[in-house]
Every structure is written in C-alpha cells, then in structure tokens.
Amino acid sequence: MQAAASCMENTATRVARELGVPSRTLRIPWGSRPFPSANKIDEKVAREARYNRLFVGMHQSRADVIAFAHHADDQVETAIMRMTQGSGVKGLAGMRPVRRWGMGKRQNEYYRFGIEGMHKWIVRPLLDVPKDRLLATCEANKLDYVNDPTNFQPDLTFRNSVRQILSGEEPAVPQEPSPGSPDVNVQTCVAKLRGMAPDVRPADQLREAVRRYGIRLEELESQVTGILARSTMPSPPSTLLLKSAPLAEITDEEARITLVRRALRYTSYGPWGAVWSEAHGDRNVLRRVVSHIWPSTPPHSPSKVGARAGTGLADDSRRTFSAGAGVVVYPVAIQKDEGTIRWRAAVSGEDSEVPGWIFARMPPHQKAIALPDAYARLDVTDALLAALAAGRHVYATLYDCRFTVRFYLDRRGLEAFEEELRGEGARIVVEADTRWVLPQVVLRRKSGDDQCLAKFVWDLKGWKDRRAKPLRQQGWIKMEFVRTLDAI
C-alpha cells in the first residue's frame, strides 16, 4: 500500500539473516478471493488482511504464540481512541499484554479464524516501554529499524490524528476528519486521562494513567473470576447457570459489567473475541443487563410483588430478558439437592431452592433459513465429499461458533451414504437440537425419510433432553463445546 513497504521488508529480512533466525515473507494477494481489489482498500481492510497473513504464517510455522512490538505510547493512543468512544475500564486499559487470538469475524472471510484462533496467542512484551526508550536502545546498540512514514499522516487514520495531537504539533493546513474519528474533542480526553495520574510528572502522566487502568482491569477480572467460581452451577453445554447469592457480593458497576461481558462472550453464538459477542461493548446495553441482574429494588420486595396466594410467601419478580449478543437470560429456581432448575422465579422462604440466572443462546429463527447464522444450520455435504476425495482422514468444522464437529473419514462412516449424497440429492447438515441449540448431524433425504447420524452427548442428572450415550452409528462423528469463560 506504500512505497516504503519494500524497504521495511528488506530491512526485516536482512536483520533476521544477520541474527541467524529464520524469516518468512507473506504477501497479501489483493483481488484474489477472499481479499478485495486494490482500489477498495482502506486502513481497516489492510489491518485485517495483515492479521490474516500473520495467522497464516503462524499456521505454517506451527507457532502457537506471536509477539507484537506495541509499546507504551501505542497504549496511550489506544486508550484515548477508546475514551472518545465512551469505553469503560476495559477499553481504557488499552491492549492486553497477553490475549487469545480469538475467532475473528463471521462476516469477513479473510478475518475468520475459527477454532484454531482459540488455541493461538498474542503477547505484547513491550507495552510498558516508551517509544523514546526503544529508539534510544536501538541507537545505542546500532540496531537497524524503519520508521513508517504513514504514521505521520493525520488524515489517513484516527490514530494518526491522535498521535499528532499528542506530539503537540499543529497541522499546517486545516485537516479533514480522519476515517473513524468520532465527534469528540481529543484534547478533552487527553486532559481527563492526565487527571488520572496527577502525582507523576507531566511527561509520564498518560502512560502511567493507562498503566493504572490496566492494573484496575486485572483486579476486576480477578474478582469476577472468583465470583464466577462460587456462583457457577453445572448446566447444559454452552449455557451458564449462576446462583444469585454470590453475585450480590459485587457492588462495583465496572465489576458487574465485566462479569456480564464474560457471560455473554461464553454463551453467545458470535465469534469468541469479537465485540459483537459482548454486545459490542455498548455500555448502555451492558448497564441494562446489570439493572436486571442487580435490581435497585430487591426482587422479593413487597413494593414490587404481592404475596403468593395461600402461602404468605412473596413471589420473585424477575423476568426473562434479551441481553444482546444473541443471548437470552432466564430467571430460574435452582433446586439445592438436585442441582436442577425450575422454569420459574424462586419463591422467597422456600428452603429447598435458591434464585439464579441461566444465560443461553437465543432460540434459532425458524423462519430465517436465509440467515444461517441466526438459523443455526450448517450444510457440510460438499466439504465432506471434497475432503473424502482428497484423501483426508478428518474434516472439522465450527458450528454456531460454539461447537467443533469432527468427521473421521477413515472410519468409513461417510462411505455408507456417499451414493445418496452424490446421486440422490441427500444432504448432511448440522442443525439445532433441544432448547439449548446443541448440534446434531442429520442426513436429509429428498424423500423426507431423514436420519439422525449424531447427537451431542451430555449427561446431567435430572436435566431434560440430556443424552448419556451416543447414537449407535455416530462413532465417526465427535462434537465438543469450545468456548471458554476465562478472562483472556
């Protein structure tokens, strides 16, 4: 995208050779699917395409971890950009020093990493090091480096505009708003961030403020991890069942929002790590969820509910609600002895049950077959036949961004249906089963004489729709829930 790219490539290759370490150059094939043509490239497209090539490079190198060289000044820019968008502690803490790569974006084919993205990591070891110190180290040790000239073009990206403001430079001529820049005064955000570290010298205030936000975020995540450990109860795969009592220990709004984001990311059918799976990080949405789970008036308060007829016990006034990110939250009564739930609110005064919440994927849109993501239906016929023809032993796919479904083609299970698939129009699909939207594999025949080939196996005593054993013929199909409740 720029003339300096060749210089950067040559410098990196030469330095690697001098250090005696292997290097790899991967080019973005603009105009070749799935990449857009060169005349449709902007900074966001270029960034996501670069991540694609980095991910491909990790795969080719069999690397599980990649290190990025973002430094402390990059952190400040990131925090200010997020502050202009109304971010809370999570955004103001900047980039995470360690994070899972994630699944990417469902709607972007070259920024879609699937299950493999859950097993690869990004580390940023230089986030506490200022840029000036890095440059001084390079100069002192005669280490070669390249400056990206586009970093100093404020009309190119919003980050560049922020960088110019932080440098104290005034544009020589009035600038058009850079792409992605919000209608917020950056100087106001800078002043607010400085105010978070009034006890340090001005030159270090911004970096120190972001560092403190990072510490605060780690504290919040640690607190939430502890609360989740005490409140989580066994529940069907891809759901999250929480007892209300431990949740009541959280009084800080940011901690509550942190817990809600973790719960949504765990149960959503959006790609793990994508902002969509956390309700886009929209604080208005997240606060609405918080208001349901931590109401200002206790749910059994006489001002909100009446007495249960004939018992003198107050009914729980909580209600089912949509939390965003494709997640529905249900108030339930958890049976203490059985560990099961009743699909009703808890009754105050009943010793055998406690109130709780269960987060679950929203039911598929049965009329939205044209929207396979919402409909939770995946046709794998063509991919299976292609894998079989190529002599592959295993074909794996990601279903609903929540489950991996693996077909072991060397176990001859598919061959029993190959003639039907190739000549009779039959299709193998993965589709929703039970109210929990668990995967099942079905052979759909034109005659309507369909056959279930595999169901998700899970066994929790007392829970409806559980399945303790696989179907007799599903030995060549394995399914696994893949999302994590971890902080990173």
Side-chain angles (χ1 to χ4, degrees):
M1 289 182 64
Q2 54 172 295
S6 296
C7 177
M8 297 178 189
E9 175 192 341
N10 294 336
T11 300
T13 301
R14 176 174 52 78
V15 170
R17 185 172 58 251
E18 291 173 353
L19 294 174
V21 297
S23 65
R24 188 183 298 267
T25 301
L26 294 98
R27 306 187 186 282
I28 302 171
W30 298 115
S32 298
R33 186 178 178 184
F35 298 96
S37 58
N39 61 354
K40 295 182 179 179
I41 303 171
D42 59 23
E43 189 65 23
K44 178 176 177 292
V45 169
R47 176 183 178 276
E48 293 181 350
R50 288 196 298 271
Y51 270 72
N52 172 283
R53 296 293 88 186
L54 290 169
F55 193 81
V56 168
M58 292 178 70
H59 179 80
Q60 293 176 349
S61 304
R62 298 183 179 181
D64 294 327
V65 182
I66 187 171
F68 289 165
H70 295 110
H71 48 69
D73 295 274
D74 293 324
Q75 276 287 65
V76 170
E77 295 164 8
T78 299
I80 291 173
M81 291 169 65
R82 293 178 178 175
M83 184 179 285
T84 65
Q85 299 165 350
S87 291
V89 171
K90 185 171 183 178
L92 299 181
M95 295 170 278
R96 303 296 289 264
V98 179
R99 76 164 175 87
R100 203 180 300 267
W101 186 287
M103 294 181 181
K105 295 180 180 179
R106 196 199 305 266
Q107 70 275 21
N108 186 337
E109 191 174 349
Y110 58 86
Y111 199 69
R112 190 185 305 160
F113 308 110
I115 182 58
E116 192 175 358
M118 297 296 288
H119 303 296
K120 296 194 181 300
W121 297 83
I122 294 171
V123 298
R124 297 182 174 97
L126 303 178
L127 284 181
D128 289 332
V129 183
K131 178 181 178 180
D132 288 346
R133 180 178 173 184
L134 289 174
L135 293 177
T137 300
C138 289
E139 296 290 348
N141 292 276
K142 296 182 172 56
L143 301 176
D144 205 356
Y145 61 89
V146 177
N147 280 313
D148 183 351
T150 64
N151 285 345
F152 307 99
Q153 298 176 15
D155 58 331
L156 189 62
T157 68
F158 180 44
R159 180 180 290 274
N160 286 359
S161 298
V162 171
R163 186 177 294 122
Q164 183 185 52
I165 291 171
L166 291 175
S167 70
E169 296 179 8
E170 293 293 333
V173 295
Q175 299 286 333
E176 292 292 328
S178 53
S181 58
D183 186 21
V184 176
N185 189 307
V186 173
Q187 293 285 14
T188 300
C189 294
V190 171
K192 183 178 179 180
L193 198 60
R194 287 188 182 279
M196 299 301 299
D199 53 322
V200 301
R201 67 190 187 106
D204 297 328
Q205 280 180 333
L206 295 177
R207 291 189 288 262
E208 176 60 18
V210 177
R211 189 186 73 84
R212 292 179 182 180
Y213 273 117
I215 293 173
R216 173 62 176 148
L217 178 60
E218 293 302 320
E219 293 172 347
L220 290 173
E221 295 285 14
S222 178
Q223 179 187 3
V224 166
T225 297
I227 294 294
L228 286 172
R230 295 197 300 278
S231 63
T232 301
M233 298 281 291
S235 63
S238 82
T239 67
L240 181 63
L241 177 61
L242 302 175
K243 293 181 293 186
S244 294
L247 298 181
E249 300 175 22
I250 305 180
T251 57
D252 179 76
E253 182 186 57
E254 289 295 340
R256 291 173 172 178
I257 288 176
T258 300
L259 185 143
V260 168
R261 294 184 72 149
R262 293 260 292 269
L264 293 180
R265 186 177 62 185
Y266 181 72
T267 51
S268 172
Y269 65 88
W272 194 100
V275 291
W276 190 90
S277 67
E278 299 179 36
H280 292 285
D282 187 319
R283 290 181 70 78
N284 291 328
V285 174
L286 296 170
R287 282 173 171 144
R288 177 179 61 80
V289 178
V290 165
S291 71
H292 281 282
I293 298 176
W294 292 273
S296 56
T297 305
H300 291 103
S301 170
S303 66
K304 296 185 70 175
V305 295
R308 192 178 181 199
T311 66
L313 300 177
D315 286 332
D316 187 340
S317 62
R318 300 173 304 154
R319 295 293 180 265
T320 298
F321 66 94
S322 172
V327 175
V328 179
V329 186
Y330 303 90
V332 294
I334 303 174
Q335 307 304 297
K336 289 182 179 179
D337 294 337
E338 302 173 5
T340 57
I341 63 172
R342 298 291 182 267
W343 289 102
R344 57 171 173 77
V347 177
S348 178
E350 290 280 1
D351 293 334
S352 62
E353 63 185 36
V354 295
W357 296 95
I358 187 165
F359 289 70
R361 193 247 201 241
M362 67 181 295
H365 296 294
Q366 295 299 330
K367 296 182 180 180
I369 297 178
L371 302 172
D373 296 340
Y375 186 66
R377 185 179 189 274
L378 179 64
D379 190 322
V380 295
T381 310
D382 295 338
L384 283 173
L385 291 175
L388 186 65
R392 291 171 57 183
H393 297 300
V394 181
Y395 171 74
T397 188
L398 181 65
Y399 171 72
D400 209 38
C401 288
R402 298 179 302 132
F403 298 88
T404 52
V405 183
R406 288 186 172 86
F407 299 84
Y408 292 86
L409 306 180
D410 55 351
R411 298 181 187 176
R412 309 183 70 83
L414 181 62
E415 294 180 7
F417 310 104
E418 188 175 1
E419 183 177 341
E420 289 186 80
L421 298 174
R422 294 190 185 278
E424 300 177 20
R427 310 295 294 179
I428 291 181
V429 297
V430 187
E431 56 188 35
D433 184 34
T434 78
R435 71 177 300 158
W436 311 118
V437 198
L438 304 179
Q440 64 176 352
V441 181
V442 179
L443 177 67
R444 294 288 181 195
R445 295 185 171 101
K446 285 190 174 182
S447 65
D449 183 22
D450 301 332
Q451 179 181 351
C452 185
L453 304 179
K455 284 182 173 289
F456 193 90
V457 176
W458 66 284
D459 188 21
L460 285 178
K461 184 179 179 181
W463 285 81
K464 186 179 179 181
D465 296 325
R466 74 186 191 277
R467 185 163 197 89
K469 296 180 180 180
L471 299 180
R472 180 176 59 83
Q473 71 274 18
Q474 81 173 60
W476 63 290
I477 304 172
K478 303 295 183 184
M479 294 177 272
E480 179 185 7
F481 179 63
V482 296
R483 298 180 85 94
T484 176
L485 195 56
D486 293 345
I488 55 173

